[in-house]
Amino acid sequence: MTPALPARRPPATPRRALLRRARTAVAALAACLLLLGVPAARAEAGAPPPMKDGFGLTQVGAATGSATNFVITVTTPQVAGEHTIRILLPAGYAADPAKRYPVLYFLHGASDNPSDPALAYPALTAAQSMITVIPDGGLRGWYTDWLDQGTAAGAQNWETFHLDQVVPFIDANLRTLTGRRSRAVGGLSMGGFGALHYAQDRPQLFGQVLTMSGANDLSANEMIIRGAVVATLTNVGTVLCGPSNGQPCGLDFGPTVSSDAIFGTPYPVFNADWRWNAADPASRMGLLADTGIAVYTGNGNGSAADMEFWAEGTAKRVKDRLDALHLTYHYVDYGDGAAWGPHCNGGHSPGCWAQDLVDYVPRLEAAFAAA
């Protein structure tokens, strides 16, 4: 029997050659990225930091997005359904594991959701010295624990969800500075009301508050704003929804509920609307005596058909109250938006809110740094 020949090893070239070729390819890719103006360090995006469940929040699935702009989904017994939270981290967050950051809680408007990347406004993503958290406020949650928890919408304890669950959850999972002077709350439209409401209800939590085009007045002096809140509850606008083409209608706010669901009856008869008056931010500005305050508004070009026309009225009432209390604040009424940026028309619109944040974010970062 002829002895078997020893098996031949493949040439030694492939492994080393492949490594050399891989290194060459990576170097070539980095060079291309540099020529395109893309830093080589960003060629490989990192993953979002791990987040542990707690404080009544249970995560559903994995986070989506990049290491510095990502969305998690949570459930809580406090609010029916699943809820997204968008988190924006400074670019250097991972590079310095010892550094801690102040936090802005940014509250969106009605019919919006943090899963929408448009809510990560450029001025927020460009911030280098703070974390921004954008929690789900529902299509019409109004940043309040509803009076009626037995509606078709299910549990609706939005204030408890945000202040007793989301805030400590963020502090436990991210490197935050936890003093009130290192924590701000701000928002637009419905979220502008929410920001003032939260800062007034929990002054020990927030050292800075921002309202942009906010529903800043719920008193009987501003029945149009009350009407807007009621319209989101009763879904009266759905009659204006055209063919969906598979897209949700911005005037459909979910299951129809009673006009009394959040604050009780909105009708000012024999003080039956007292809960609306008690929640009115404009009449509670004295609670913000030790808080940095910023108010932004346009004028809707003088058209009552634009919600900004009415938002300006509530902003002016807030300003009058602050003046009467001799409190300091930052107030901007950019009118028709002509001098407020190329994408602002003075209306209730993202183009104006983006410019508001261009003005506000550096001010907030400076206030955080001073604190």
Side-chain angles (χ1 to χ4, degrees):
M1 176 180 287
T2 306
L5 294 174
R8 288 177 175 259
R9 292 185 179 180
T13 323
R15 178 175 176 138
R16 292 185 179 179
L18 285 173
L19 287 172
R20 283 197 299 271
R21 288 171 188 165
R23 292 191 188 101
T24 303
V26 170
L29 175 60
C32 290
L33 290 172
L34 287 172
L35 288 173
L36 291 170
V38 180
R42 295 186 184 178
E44 184 178 338
M51 311 280 279
K52 294 182 179 179
D53 293 348
F55 305 94
L57 302 185
T58 302
Q59 295 173 85
V60 178
T64 60
S66 71
T68 57
N69 182 352
F70 59 94
V71 174
I72 63 172
T73 302
V74 301
T75 60
T76 168
Q78 297 298 330
V79 187
E82 296 182 352
H83 305 283
T84 53
I85 303 172
R86 183 174 293 273
I87 299 171
L88 308 177
L89 300 178
Y93 182 86
D96 188 352
K99 186 173 182 179
R100 293 186 171 272
Y101 296 87
V103 184
L104 165 65
Y105 288 86
F106 188 66
L107 311 180
H108 64 76
S111 78
D112 219 332
N113 188 292
S115 62
D116 181 359
L119 285 181
Y121 284 91
L124 297 176
T125 59
Q128 295 301 303
S129 60
M130 72 179 190
I131 295 168
T132 298
V133 177
I134 309 174
D136 184 15
L139 300 178
R140 42 79 193 279
W142 287 100
Y143 299 99
T144 303
D145 289 355
W146 288 21
L147 176 65
D148 186 354
Q149 296 292 316
T151 72
Q156 298 288 297
N157 290 313
W158 293 97
E159 185 168 355
T160 297
F161 167 43
H162 292 142
L163 303 189
D164 294 336
Q165 295 184 313
V166 173
V167 169
F169 172 84
I170 292 297
D171 286 341
N173 281 288
L174 299 174
R175 299 194 312 274
T176 64
L177 294 168
T178 58
R180 71 177 296 270
R181 298 196 179 280
S182 298
R183 190 184 293 119
V185 61
L188 58 90
S189 193
M190 177 180 80
F193 161 79
L196 289 175
H197 181 65
Y198 284 178
Q200 290 167 342
D201 272 10
R202 304 284 185 95
Q204 74 276 16
L205 278 183
F206 303 103
Q208 299 285 335
V209 63
L210 159 72
T211 176
M212 307 187 311
S213 306
N216 306 315
D217 191 336
L218 293 186
S219 73
N221 294 324
E222 192 47 88
M223 292 302 290
I224 294 294
I225 299 299
R226 282 196 189 185
V229 176
V230 169
T232 65
L233 298 175
T234 58
N235 260 338
V236 295
T238 54
V239 297
L240 302 176
C241 293
S244 68
N245 296 322
Q247 299 298 317
C249 174
L251 297 174
D252 185 352
F253 297 95
T256 298
V257 299
S258 164
S259 62
D260 303 358
I262 301 181
F263 302 113
T265 178
Y267 305 110
V269 179
F270 301 116
N271 199 37
D273 62 335
W274 66 270
R275 289 187 181 85
W276 289 80
N277 298 322
D280 168 35
S283 64
R284 301 202 301 158
M285 298 308 292
L287 296 171
L288 303 179
D290 191 35
T291 303
I293 305 165
V295 181
Y296 292 81
T297 185
N299 67 8
N301 287 289
S303 171
D306 192 313
M307 184 53 69
E308 196 68 16
F309 174 86
W310 304 101
E312 183 188 43
T314 73
K316 287 180 176 179
R317 276 187 281 282
V318 164
K319 182 179 185 301
D320 290 344
R321 181 62 178 156
L322 290 170
D323 287 338
L325 293 167
H326 305 290
L327 297 180
T328 58
Y329 56 89
H330 178 64
Y331 182 88
V332 177
D333 186 335
Y334 44 83
D336 63 4
W340 196 237
H343 303 295
C344 178
N345 60 3
H348 206 67
S349 67
C352 297
W353 300 326
Q355 191 61 37
D356 295 351
L357 290 169
V358 167
D359 182 75
Y360 178 70
V361 168
R363 296 175 183 275
L364 178 60
E365 290 190 294
F368 281 151

